[in-house]
Amino acid sequence: MIVTYDLSQFGIADGQIVVGAEQQYWTWDRPGPDRVGLNTLAYYQTFFDRTLELKLGYLRNQNEFTGTLFGGITGSNMSALFQAGMSTNAAPTPAINLKLNFDDRLYNKVSVQRSISPDGAYVHITENPTGLNWSTANAGILLVEEAGYKSKAASGVPDTWLRAGVGFNSSRYTNLADPKQQRESGNSFHYIAADRQLWQSDALGSPSRGIYSGFSVMGAPPDLNRISRYYELRLYAKGAFDNRPSDLIALVATNTAWSKVAMDAALAKGQLAHRETTAITGTYTAHLAPGIYASVGLSYIHNPTSITHTPQTEHALNLLVSTLVFF
């Protein structure tokens, strides 16, 4: 549950106070520990006719950078950035974000964020289930910078979004080549992403409807991160059918390249290990009513586990069902 209080009624331009709490419960151990706690606690305001945007508090930077949501619903896998410290919905951390809009298309966005635990989101949530603690063990400061070009769809003008970013983390990470040695700082990540509308099905009435394509590339040092590269190709359609103008169809192919350092360490122990994980996912998201969306999809994954596997876990076929409610 997230609640926003509008401060513009008091003369504060675009001023907002955002407070959110979440509860998550798992019937399976692996995805993460159960928690009840803070989701976000933020203050947002613009300056100089929206040239500058400020957001500070306990933030979820997974929603602030790279464009996790494409087509409004479906999103990219950001595990390559989470491992390098990016805060998540389940692990918000103190941060200050500033966005400079050079015009209505070009922008530059920076963040000074307390990193999540260098041992991962699972450890972070275990140590700080409420999300209220200022920090966790071995966590430092994460600096993130993103530059981008974003043009909204108009009649005869296709929707376009180009962005690239880097992050530098002072947290103390375990070296995957020798986990027993002293922890070291200096982790980082980088990414580029692009989305482009290829065809407008209703240019005059609703120019955002049509077919889109996009890609994402993310990377991090293989000695400190289990994911060294992440690649994604996506093809999606908004309002493909005239009688369903708000529905979304998406086909996404991903490839996760695992750290060679971690893979070599696993092989040295006699474990079965793989260099990469490949997945193809198709989803259909239906707009059922104002603020209510339902999604169904099918995902095939080759090597669904992280680096090591057994003969029984080389392939997976997952049925995906979700519901989103906004009010």
Side-chain angles (χ1 to χ4, degrees):
M1 173 70 75
I2 301 175
V3 177
T4 302
Y5 186 76
D6 181 17
L7 296 174
S8 61
Q9 58 188 315
F10 302 111
I12 302 175
D14 298 319
Q16 295 179 350
I17 296 175
V18 185
V19 180
E22 78 164 34
Q23 185 263 345
Q24 65 177 29
Y25 170 74
W26 303 92
T27 59
W28 181 31
D29 238 7
R30 185 179 168 193
D34 300 343
R35 77 178 289 258
V36 176
L38 187 71
N39 177 271
T40 186
L41 177 59
Y43 175 76
Y44 172 83
Q45 185 181 343
T46 64
F47 302 89
F48 313 117
D49 194 25
R50 299 186 178 179
T51 299
L52 184 65
E53 300 177 49
L54 166 70
K55 194 170 189 178
L56 58 87
Y58 282 81
L59 306 184
R60 309 161 298 153
N61 269 340
Q62 76 167 92
N63 302 302
E64 303 285 336
F65 291 88
T66 79
T68 37
L69 297 180
F70 64 85
I73 300 294
T74 310
S76 299
N77 185 329
M78 291 183 63
S79 297
L81 307 190
F82 298 158
Q83 66 181 358
M86 183 81 78
S87 56
T88 73
N89 289 324
T93 62
I96 299 176
N97 293 358
L98 286 172
K99 182 182 179 184
L100 178 61
N101 299 302
F102 297 102
D103 53 29
D104 60 351
R105 297 183 179 183
L106 290 171
Y107 70 88
N108 192 78
K109 189 170 186 177
V110 296
S111 176
V112 180
Q113 178 213 301
R114 171 63 74 176
S115 171
I116 68 171
S117 170
D119 296 321
Y122 193 103
V123 172
H124 181 99
I125 297 171
T126 302
E127 292 184 21
N128 183 18
T130 65
L132 293 172
N133 294 350
W134 179 258
S135 184
T136 53
N138 299 305
I141 300 297
L142 173 65
L143 303 177
V144 185
E145 194 273 344
E146 177 180 296
Y149 171 93
K150 191 171 186 178
S151 175
K152 294 183 178 180
S155 180
V157 179
D159 188 297
T160 304
W161 190 8
L162 313 174
R163 61 269 192 206
V166 294
F168 301 95
N169 196 331
S170 66
S171 299
R172 297 179 297 279
Y173 279 77
T174 299
N175 191 302
L176 297 178
D178 187 3
K180 295 182 180 180
Q181 73 178 18
Q182 186 176 358
R183 287 174 176 261
E184 57 185 88
S185 59
N187 199 4
S188 63
F189 63 74
H190 58 271
Y191 62 86
I192 59 172
D195 287 89
R196 173 78 169 183
Q197 188 177 22
L198 303 178
W199 175 66
Q200 293 180 329
S201 59
D202 186 11
L204 296 179
S206 181
S208 63
R209 288 180 57 195
I211 297 176
Y212 295 70
S213 68
F215 73 89
S216 297
V217 178
M218 304 176 185
D223 56 333
L224 300 180
N225 303 277
R226 294 175 70 82
I227 299 175
S228 59
R229 290 287 185 275
Y230 173 78
Y231 306 94
E232 177 176 299
L233 292 174
R234 47 189 175 265
L235 182 67
Y236 52 104
K238 296 181 184 180
F241 308 110
D242 290 337
N243 60 338
R244 307 291 307 172
S246 301
D247 288 4
L248 174 72
I249 304 172
L251 181 64
V252 181
T254 66
N255 178 269
T256 301
W258 301 102
S259 162
K260 187 178 186 302
V261 175
M263 185 183 69
D264 289 344
L267 291 173
K269 296 178 183 178
Q271 298 174 315
L272 291 175
H274 49 264
R275 179 71 181 90
E276 59 187 17
T277 292
T278 302
I280 299 176
T281 303
T283 58
Y284 186 96
T285 302
H287 187 186
L288 301 180
I292 301 178
Y293 297 82
S295 180
V296 61
L298 198 63
S299 180
Y300 167 76
I301 309 171
H302 178 60
N303 293 327
T305 58
S306 169
I307 301 178
T308 60
H309 66 271
T310 67
Q312 292 78 28
T313 59
E314 290 187 3
H315 307 275
L317 185 64
N318 294 337
L319 174 65
L320 315 172
V321 180
S322 66
T323 303
L324 295 176
V325 180
F326 302 92
F327 59 91

